[in-house]
Amino acid sequence: MELKPRSPLYRTTVYRFTYSKDRTTMASDWDPAGHLPLSVPVHQILLSLAASDRHGYAIIKEIAERTEGDVTLTASTLYGALARML
């Protein structure tokens, strides 16, 4: 998917994170456009976690309630998506 400059998903910013030897001065570039588009489970998980910290079952319940049952995650879907996001 190619993003056009006027697209709402278009970003020219490249974020730089730095980490030390114990994973807190090694520089790496991260381009968020490389992770788009988000899958439905990932999008819903991020929306759920944006409000507050939650454990797995609370994330599943919150997503089901917010989407009125349109999106239901199983534990394997949730933890698989979380593993991929990490």
Side-chain angles (χ1 to χ4, degrees):
M1 175 172 110
E2 186 175 346
L3 300 174
K4 306 289 187 219
R6 294 183 183 257
S7 166
L9 299 177
Y10 181 81
R11 300 287 183 268
T12 57
T13 306
V14 173
Y15 298 92
R16 179 175 292 281
F17 294 101
T18 56
Y19 302 96
S20 71
K21 292 178 184 175
D22 59 345
R23 298 187 63 85
T24 58
T25 60
M26 189 166 88
S28 65
D29 290 333
W30 181 68
D31 182 10
H35 298 281
L36 297 175
L38 297 176
S39 67
V40 172
V42 169
H43 183 173
Q44 294 299 327
I45 292 166
L46 291 174
L47 288 175
S48 179
L49 292 174
S52 68
D53 291 344
R54 291 183 163 84
H55 57 77
Y57 184 65
I59 294 171
I60 291 171
K61 278 182 54 177
E62 195 276 331
I63 291 172
E65 290 172 7
R66 185 169 27 80
T67 63
E68 298 177 348
D70 288 341
V71 178
T72 55
L73 299 181
T74 62
S76 62
T77 302
L78 171 67
Y79 290 111
L82 289 173
R84 286 188 302 278
M85 286 192 289
L86 289 173

